[in-house]
Amino acid sequence: EVALGQYFGTGGLTIWKISPIFKGVGYGSVIMAAWLNVYYIIVLCWALFYFFQSLTADLPWGTCGNWWNKETCVSPYDREALTCWNEGYDKESNQTFCEVGNLTRVAITNLTDPIKEFWENR
């Protein structure tokens, strides 16, 4: 596209008038470039958001004491200190439950990380 545009002295939209079969290729490439620019700006905004959030003394995604955390939030560093037990219903099914804060019986599969909750709920 660039080489043909340089040779014929035209831009990316008009170079495809060489053949009628390529009529929409120029417009398609402009639309794709616009969509990719929007996508790239959003990725940059997320990077800047996390950068400015990380300038605090305590990282907001490091603990569970924030307004966006659920009651089942447990830091990976605190999971070893939980009181947990196994309950078996029959020979094949076995499930692990833990005590989390005021909740006395939470399935271990329902525990969440502060990192995941920051991403989803903040």
Side-chain angles (χ1 to χ4, degrees), residues 30-83:
V30 169
I31 290 170
M32 287 301 297
W35 279 108
L36 287 174
N37 286 338
V38 170
Y39 174 76
Y40 185 67
I41 289 170
I42 291 172
V43 170
L44 285 177
C45 287
W46 276 110
L48 287 174
F49 175 74
Y50 278 110
F51 173 71
F52 287 117
Q53 290 290 318
S54 69
L55 294 178
T56 60
D58 295 322
L59 293 175
W61 54 83
T63 59
C64 290
N66 301 304
W67 62 267
W68 59 82
N69 294 120
K70 297 177 185 174
E71 291 181 348
T72 57
C73 177
V74 178
S75 174
Y77 304 110
D78 298 334
R79 287 190 184 207
E80 295 177 4
L82 291 176
T83 304

Side-chain angles (χ1 to χ4, degrees), residues 2 16 31 49 62 71 81 97 105 119:
V2 175
W16 295 107
I31 290 170
F49 175 74
E71 291 181 348
F97 294 95
R105 190 172 181 263
W119 175 261

Side-chain angles (χ1 to χ4, degrees), residues 88-94:
Y89 300 106
D90 55 18
K91 294 179 182 180
E92 297 175 1
S93 65
N94 191 11

